[in-house]
Amino acid sequence: MSLSSPYDFIIQWHLTEKCNLRCRHCYQEGAAYQEMPFPLISAVITEITHMVQTWQDAYDIEFSLSFNVTGGEPFLRADFFAILAAMINAGVACYVLSNGTLISPERARRLADLGVKEVQVSLEGPEEIHDGIRGLGSFASSLKGIRNLLDAGVAASVNTTLSHLNAAYFMDLVKLAAGLGVRRLGFSRLVPSGRGLGLLDHLLAPDEVKALYETIFSLESQGLELATGDPMAAQMREPRPVEDAGTFPAGGCAAGVAGLTILADGTVTPCRRLPVPLGRVGQDSLRQIWAVSPVLERLRDRSQYQGKCGQCKRWANCRGCRAIAYASAQSQGDPDFLASDPQCFIDAY
């Protein structure tokens, strides 16, 4: 990132834990949450925008603030559109993450009228594969939702979670996404937590992740952007470092570096897939959480990292996926969010 580029700060906001699907790989555990009421959500929107504005004024750095609004399934929240309107009216760029099955033509038009930047819909592969992971009939419903978005003029993207269940079908998904006319196909690795813990044996091995990513990055675009937030994927596009990249996190895993997650009940975590509580909105200051949280301080401190990740020359620009590291360590009885990423294929330490 150049000094003239805005500094991205992303809030992933889960408005509800309710969902109309029960996906096999979901990181949620199905626990009941007391959802934040609209007045509190409105107050937190104001708190966040003021916090970022204060940073801009204090440090003379331009920030790009955005909200990734999701659930559960966000369309199950009755005041969903009122919440989106409050966010957008506050000047925040809003993106919606959905399974797509509840996006009717009328709802798509409302998203367009509000000015939602993009809606990401989850697809796991061809119909048989997708329905095997997300439930019978969900593939057809998700495709209808995507088409409704595109017909309404809403930018749409597709995202998939890679494991042994669907990795072999990624090229089919590329063709499907390109044929639909979406702008982007995103991909991430399975995090074995929540219901996804039952798929621990379906995690791709490091050499399988490497081979798959090499194939993905060799593909012609077909007018489709292939995108991922996986810090290890980013390393494949960078030359092997001659010297250590340093001890200040400058990229890679976003946990503790480029945003926060707010859960349906107001609990704040570093990442939705990293369920380590930092505080709760309405009770704790977000600015104080960001500045002095012991958990976030550890995530930013290279000396706290274990094993390969702690020794890696690419630490500053990678740090592995903290959620996968935590979930895998937890499955072995050692819930350490600073453990090594078990799928790492990078030799840089």
Side-chain angles (χ1 to χ4, degrees), residues 208-224:
E208 292 174 316
V209 176
K210 181 180 181 182
L212 178 58
Y213 282 5
E214 286 174 342
T215 300
I216 291 172
F217 292 141
S218 71
L219 294 173
E220 294 185 7
S221 69
Q222 302 185 52
L224 183 72

Side-chain angles (χ1 to χ4, degrees), residues 171-219:
M171 305 314 144
D172 298 282
L173 191 57
V174 171
K175 294 177 182 177
L176 173 64
L180 285 169
V182 301
R183 64 166 58 175
R184 182 182 300 110
L185 170 58
F187 56 93
S188 57
R189 291 179 279 149
L190 168 71
V191 176
S193 63
R195 284 196 296 277
L197 181 59
L199 299 179
L200 187 64
D201 292 340
H202 290 279
L203 281 175
L204 297 169
D207 60 330
E208 292 174 316
V209 176
K210 181 180 181 182
L212 178 58
Y213 282 5
E214 286 174 342
T215 300
I216 291 172
F217 292 141
S218 71
L219 294 173

Side-chain angles (χ1 to χ4, degrees), residues 44-94:
V44 175
I45 293 170
T46 300
E47 180 183 4
I48 294 168
T49 55
H50 285 181
M51 175 178 72
V52 172
Q53 185 61 54
T54 299
W55 290 343
Q56 289 188 155
D57 295 341
Y59 305 116
D60 195 25
I61 297 173
E62 183 181 357
F63 284 82
S64 175
L65 173 64
S66 60
F67 290 166
N68 289 342
V69 188
T70 185
E73 174 49 50
F75 286 93
L76 288 174
R77 176 137 181 169
D79 56 357
F80 177 48
F81 287 98
I83 293 171
L84 283 179
M87 293 173 169
I88 292 168
N89 289 339
V92 181
C94 283

Side-chain angles (χ1 to χ4, degrees), residues 141-312:
S141 296
S142 294
L143 257 57
K144 285 182 182 177
I146 292 171
R147 292 186 177 115
N148 288 336
L149 290 168
L150 295 173
D151 287 346
V154 179
S157 66
V158 167
N159 193 75
T160 191
T161 301
L162 297 171
S163 70
H164 280 141
L165 297 178
N166 65 346
Y169 300 91
F170 187 83
M171 305 314 144
D172 298 282
L173 191 57
V174 171
K175 294 177 182 177
L176 173 64
L180 285 169
V182 301
R183 64 166 58 175
R184 182 182 300 110
L185 170 58
F187 56 93
S188 57
R189 291 179 279 149
L190 168 71
V191 176
S193 63
R195 284 196 296 277
L197 181 59
L199 299 179
L200 187 64
D201 292 340
H202 290 279
L203 281 175
L204 297 169
D207 60 330
E208 292 174 316
V209 176
K210 181 180 181 182
L212 178 58
Y213 282 5
E214 286 174 342
T215 300
I216 291 172
F217 292 141
S218 71
L219 294 173
E220 294 185 7
S221 69
Q222 302 185 52
L224 183 72
E225 179 187 350
L226 298 174
T228 181
D230 187 344
M232 288 204 313
Q235 305 314 304
M236 298 186 71
R237 295 182 168 180
E238 298 292 336
R240 183 187 174 100
V242 177
E243 298 181 354
D244 197 299
T247 59
F248 181 81
C253 180
V257 177
L260 293 167
T261 290
I262 301 174
L263 303 186
D265 67 346
T267 299
V268 183
T269 66
C271 164
R272 179 59 183 94
R273 302 187 301 171
L274 182 58
V276 181
L278 307 176
R280 180 168 293 187
V281 296
Q283 300 176 12
D284 302 295
S285 160
L286 282 171
R287 188 175 178 186
Q288 187 170 14
I289 287 173
W290 186 253
V292 300
S293 164
V295 171
L296 297 185
E297 287 181 353
R298 294 185 67 199
L299 284 166
R300 299 163 183 156
D301 183 354
R302 178 173 176 171
S303 69
Q304 298 292 312
Y305 282 66
Q306 306 301 310
K308 184 177 179 179
C309 284
Q311 303 171 42
C312 184

